[in-house]
Amino acid sequence: GDAGLLRATWEILGAKLETDGAIGTPTISTLLPFVWHEGTITLNAVNKSTQVKRFALDYRNNIPIDDLYAFSTTEPTLIRVGRADITCDMDIQFDDTAQYDLFKNGTEFAAKFDFIHTTTPYQLTFEMPKVVYRAAVPNPDRREQIVIPARMEARHDTTDATALKITLINQQASAG
């Protein structure tokens, strides 16, 4: 199957959708997709690619519905930016005490998820300069492999002026 593919879902709020009237046949790309095994996951400046088994990133802008629409209109008005919630859920294997200590102590650290296609110039990167684990601390009670569901929360980093940076590089453009 395609369980190893990197998948994304986008929900975009927009207004005044217009078309040019001529809808033709779409061109379907034959490029290979980004795949999980070509990714590099860096947590607290340490490569943890083999320890992270799954991850999902969620960005919510939290725009109050009352701020979207003016009275007597069905189209959104000027959108005010809400307090964004950026979370990352992943399954991670603790192979040493360093990640466990970050988890247990609530210490802030940097996280980077980098997917580079090996045969083309394509790259997709998610960088969070400041994250903290937000889940119940596991309590290992025996010597065995421990893979736990870990939730991280991104925090605004005043040095970098961002909580999340997404970079997409393809043959057409590079945008950050």
Side-chain angles (χ1 to χ4, degrees), residues 2 16 41-43 48 56 65 67-68 93-94 108 113 139 143 150:
D2 59 353
K16 297 182 182 178
I41 289 77
T42 307
L43 303 175
K48 293 292 183 180
I65 194 71
D67 290 345
L68 286 178
Q93 172 191 351
F94 288 155
E108 291 178 342
F113 301 87
N139 189 14
R143 292 185 61 121

Side-chain angles (χ1 to χ4, degrees), residues 59-72:
Y59 180 97
R60 295 187 184 273
N61 202 22
N62 297 326
I63 303 170
I65 194 71
D66 294 341
D67 290 345
L68 286 178
Y69 299 95
F71 291 110
S72 72

